[in-house]
Amino acid sequence: MEQVKPLTIDEMYISPFTAQRVYDEDGNIKWIPLERNLHPTGERHVDALLQAFAEGHSDPKWIAQRLGCSREDIWGFVRAVTGMSVREFRHAYGFRLADDLLRYTSLTVGEVARRSGFYSASLLCQQFMKYYHQLPLARRKALRAPKDEDRYRV
């Protein structure tokens, strides 16, 4: 039997952004709607988990209840699709989401924490120090390029 390669966070990531800022020929700002990938894996339970993460929810038990399956089913699906535990996947997904929010928005660290499933600014700071060895505002500064701020609408 052929081994299936696990999907990466980037392959499954659902952007939090709904529109992109562009300028017309006169220099006026226009917002172009972005299509969001709501079924990246094609597996109903994993896609529901991804959608919940994209909305800032991170409790597999809550998601399992919403889908009418067990928490263990969610754990199994995540492990099969990603090769990671739910906790590892949740953190990797949350970091990816937090990076986008820090880079492209002017949201506070507390709001970024809430939207990325870390719940509080202090927990986000703690996790960023552990994972990136820098605080979220330093990460924002490192990620942000000219004209990145408010490039996308949440």
Side-chain angles (χ1 to χ4, degrees), residues 2 4 6 9 16 18 23-24 30 49 60 65-67 77 100 113-114 139-140 144-145 147 149 151:
E2 186 177 327
V4 177
I9 294 295
T18 59
Y23 296 93
D24 65 17
K30 291 172 52 178
L49 183 70
Q65 287 175 339
R66 200 167 116 183
L67 288 171
F77 287 127
D100 270 357
R114 189 188 68 74
R139 180 87 177 147
R140 172 178 273 164
R144 192 171 280 172
K147 298 186 181 181
E149 186 173 2
R151 179 181 289 182

Side-chain angles (χ1 to χ4, degrees), residues 79-136:
R79 176 74 68 186
V81 172
T82 68
M84 293 183 247
S85 71
V86 169
R87 182 179 180 166
E88 291 167 330
F89 180 74
R90 169 65 207 99
H91 278 114
Y93 196 95
F95 286 130
R96 174 71 165 82
L97 182 55
D99 275 352
D100 270 357
L101 294 172
L102 287 168
R103 179 176 181 180
Y104 296 112
T105 73
S106 54
L107 295 173
T108 66
V109 172
E111 185 62 16
V112 169
R114 189 188 68 74
R115 289 178 184 238
S116 59
F118 289 99
Y119 304 113
S120 71
S122 62
L123 180 57
L124 183 65
C125 290
Q126 176 188 20
Q127 291 299 312
F128 264 55
M129 285 303 292
K130 184 177 178 181
Y131 189 76
Y132 293 123
H133 306 290
Q134 61 185 176
L135 292 170

Side-chain angles (χ1 to χ4, degrees), residues 15-85:
S15 171
F17 305 118
T18 59
Q20 180 178 4
R21 179 189 68 211
V22 295
Y23 296 93
D24 65 17
E25 56 277 348
D26 296 325
N28 299 314
I29 295 175
K30 291 172 52 178
W31 291 95
I32 308 247
L34 296 174
E35 186 174 321
R36 295 179 68 183
N37 183 6
L38 298 181
H39 304 289
T41 70
E43 204 312 299
R44 181 174 87 89
H45 293 91
V46 175
D47 289 346
L49 183 70
L50 293 171
Q51 184 62 42
F53 286 168
E55 294 169 1
H57 302 288
S58 63
D59 181 8
K61 184 178 179 181
W62 177 85
I63 296 163
Q65 287 175 339
R66 200 167 116 183
L67 288 171
C69 64
S70 73
R71 184 174 57 192
E72 289 76 19
D73 289 339
I74 295 292
W75 288 338
F77 287 127
V78 170
R79 176 74 68 186
V81 172
T82 68
M84 293 183 247
S85 71

